[in-house]
C-alpha cells in the first residue's frame, strides 16, 4: 500500500528534491555515520526522518548541531516559502514532513492508522494493546489507539522528562523507558514464555 495515497505534483517534486539532497549529504564521509545510529535515515511516503544523535550521545554535540543546520538549509532550498514542508527537531532525529494546507497540519501516524483501519488492513480488537513511540510525533498514534481501546499500555522511549510527563497527563497507562534496549527487554519478557 506504500504510495497509495496520492501526493500533489508540487508536494511530490519538493519531496523528491529534498530526498535527493539528503542522500547526497549523507554519502559524504563526514555525515555517513548518521545513517548507522538511532533511527538512521528513513524515506517514507510523505515524510523523511534522519538521526542526528543517539541515546548514548555518541555524536559530538557540535557536529550534531552542524548537521541539523545543514538539513535546515536543504529544507529551505527545496521549499523557500515554507509551503510544502515542516521540520521537527527532537534533539535525536530530524523529521521532515509534508504540510496539508486544507487541514493546516501535517499528515500524522494516527492518520496512517485510520487509513489502514478504513481499508481493512488493521484490526483493532478490545485489547490489550501496547503502542510504542519515542517522540512527540508519535502522540497522534497514541491518541488513535487509546481512543479505540480501554486496554492500552502506552510506552514512550525517551529521556525527555517533559515529554514523559506530557504522555502521563494524556494517556491512562504510560510507561517511560530511557532506552530502546529497555523496550526490547520488556517486549521479550511479554512475548517469550518464561518456562522455555
Amino acid at each position: 500500500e506504500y504510495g497509495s495515497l496520492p501526493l500533489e505534483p508540487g508536494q511530490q517534486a519538493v519531496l523528491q528534491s529534498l530526498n535527493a539532497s539528503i542522500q547526497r549529504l549523507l554519502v559524504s564521509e563526514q555525515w555517513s555515520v548518521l545513517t548507522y545510529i538511532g533511527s538512521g535515515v528513513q524515506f517514507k511516503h510523505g515524510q523523511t526522518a534522519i538521526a542526528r544523535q543517539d541515546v548514548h550521545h555518541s555524536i559530538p554535540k557540535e557536529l550534531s548541531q552542524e548537521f541539523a543546520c545543514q538539513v535546515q538549509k536543504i529544507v529551505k532550498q527545496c521549499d523557500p516559502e515554507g509551503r510544502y514542508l515542516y521540520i521537527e527537531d527532537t534533539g535525536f532525529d530530524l523529521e521532515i514532513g509534508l504540510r496539508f494546507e486544507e487541514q493546516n497540519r501535517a499528515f500524522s501516524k494516527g492518520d496512517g492508522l485510520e487509513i489502514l483501519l478504513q481499508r481493512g488492513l488493521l484490526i483493532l480488537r478490545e485489547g490489550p494493546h501496547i503502542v510504542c513511540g519515542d517522540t512527540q510525533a508519535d502522540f497522534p498514534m497514541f491518541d488513535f489507539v487509546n481512543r479505540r481501546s480501554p486496554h492500552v499500555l502506552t510506552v514512550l522511549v525517551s529521556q525527555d522528562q517533559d515529554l514523559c510527563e506530557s504522555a502521563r497527563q494524556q494517556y491512562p497507562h504510560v510507561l517511560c523507558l530511557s532506552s530502546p534496549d529497555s523496550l526490547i527487554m520488556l517486549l521479550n519478557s511479554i512475548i517469550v514464555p518464561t518456562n522455555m
Side-chain angles (χ1 to χ4, degrees):
E1 291 285 328
Y2 177 88
S4 63
L5 290 179
L7 299 178
E8 296 175 13
Q11 290 176 318
Q12 189 68 53
V14 167
L15 200 58
Q16 286 174 343
S17 174
L18 171 82
N19 289 342
S21 296
I22 296 292
Q23 284 178 314
R24 284 192 296 274
L25 183 67
L26 290 172
V27 296
S28 72
E29 188 175 332
Q30 181 181 16
W31 304 121
S32 62
V33 67
L34 298 175
T35 63
Y36 300 105
I37 66 161
S39 301
V41 60
Q42 301 173 34
F43 298 110
K44 308 171 193 174
H45 186 67
Q47 187 187 58
T48 298
I50 316 144
R52 74 176 185 93
Q53 190 56 271
D54 61 18
V55 294
H56 304 293
H57 298 277
S58 57
I59 304 299
K61 185 177 180 180
E62 300 78 22
L63 197 65
S64 176
Q65 189 58 48
E66 183 183 342
F67 180 74
C69 290
Q70 292 294 321
V71 172
Q72 288 166 353
K73 285 180 188 174
I74 289 172
V75 169
K76 187 72 173 167
Q77 289 168 354
C78 294
D79 185 22
E81 297 173 9
R83 179 177 170 198
Y84 295 107
L85 300 173
Y86 72 91
I87 184 167
E88 183 178 332
D89 185 349
T90 69
F92 294 98
D93 297 316
L94 300 166
E95 298 176 346
I96 308 155
L98 289 172
R99 296 183 190 280
F100 288 81
E101 292 181 10
E102 68 277 2
Q103 300 167 341
N104 196 25
R105 65 177 182 84
F107 186 82
S108 75
K109 294 177 183 181
D111 295 325
L113 290 177
E114 181 66 47
I115 289 165
L116 292 176
L117 186 65
Q118 289 172 2
R119 293 183 179 190
L121 299 172
L122 173 68
I123 299 171
L124 198 58
R125 301 192 195 287
E126 186 176 321
H129 301 286
I130 298 176
V131 59
C132 308
D134 61 356
T135 70
Q136 185 76 44
D138 293 310
F139 280 43
M141 175 178 63
F142 297 165
D143 292 341
F144 177 89
V145 178
N146 277 276
R147 277 195 314 266
R148 285 163 177 79
S149 175
H151 308 292
V152 179
L153 174 61
T154 302
V155 180
L156 185 64
V157 181
S158 178
Q159 295 179 2
D160 183 334
Q161 293 306 312
D162 291 338
L163 195 61
C164 287
E165 186 55 35
S166 178
R168 287 186 187 104
Q169 291 177 6
Q170 293 181 56
Y171 310 110
H173 305 287
V174 175
L175 178 62
C176 286
L177 302 174
S178 61
S179 74
D181 292 344
S182 301
L183 175 61
I184 291 168
M185 288 173 53
L186 169 71
L187 294 176
N188 188 53
S189 70
I190 293 168
I191 295 168
V192 178
T194 55
N195 61 355
M196 288 186 71

